[in-house]
Amino acid sequence: MKKLLLLLLFVPSIGFSQGKLSGAKENLSSNSSSSSSSSSSSSSSSDDDDDFVGGLFAEIFLDLFLFIGYEGLFGSLEERHFSPYPYYYDNVNGEYDFGALKGDKRSLVKVNANYFAANSIRGFETTINYRFIPILGLGVSHTSLFEDNLSGNTDHFNMSSLMLNYYRIRERSVTGYWGIGATYVGDDVNTTGFSYQVGLEVYAFRPISLHGSYQQSFINDSSIDQLQLQVKYHRKKMAYFAGYHDYSLGGVSVNGFVLGAEIRF
């Protein structure tokens, strides 16, 4: 009887000992291992399906490209310069200036870091954005998440991204971009996958701006989806922000609030 009671008490602790981050890593890595054990006939069928889906996607993208046209996707390359910082000029709220005024720059570097909190999960996120010309830039980001599980250990989830961004919207009050690149997930996943992202920042009124971005990374047979919504308070070259970040890590939802700071050079 005592053994039965101990078993009933012990089993639930096993069932609920796995945290969100551990489950996310399992989801992001398990599909690749299970696919390797499938039979040759099923893998051949899967390859045919992948070819069909890939061909369909390529056809849709080509039709969309031809429909919108080069101008719609890439825009005309009007000359732009970077203002020293947002709200520096009376008639320029955001990052871009149409003319070469004194103090304007030809390149821009932004570095930001934030603290993320979501119930039992916490973490830190850092991003470096380097625009070597007004229309193109490189973005490097790293996210580290931590979770204390019931066994007393701490689960870690780390991912890093490298993106090449095209800044399609370069107006005095609005910056909009899309980009492609790659994301690496470490720890027990150790996989690199293709990524794309879109983003928009609106410099609504002095000294506030609104930022939103979405990034999706394909890891093995699953994906990581990241949604970021932020409100920024600008003070010369510094900005302080608060916001809401929502992650889908291989289907495991992690969302919470952030506090951070940003500096530009």
Side-chain angles (χ1 to χ4, degrees), residues 17-37:
S17 61
Q18 186 184 51
K20 283 190 171 184
L21 297 185
S22 178
K25 289 185 288 186
E26 182 178 343
N27 291 349
L28 290 168
S29 58
S30 61
N31 288 329
S32 60
S33 61
S34 62
S35 62
S36 62
S37 62

Side-chain angles (χ1 to χ4, degrees), residues 150-165:
L150 295 179
S151 63
N153 298 321
T154 300
D155 284 330
H156 301 266
F157 187 95
N158 291 279
M159 59 181 173
S160 301
S161 296
L162 174 63
M163 306 295 296
L164 176 64
N165 297 319

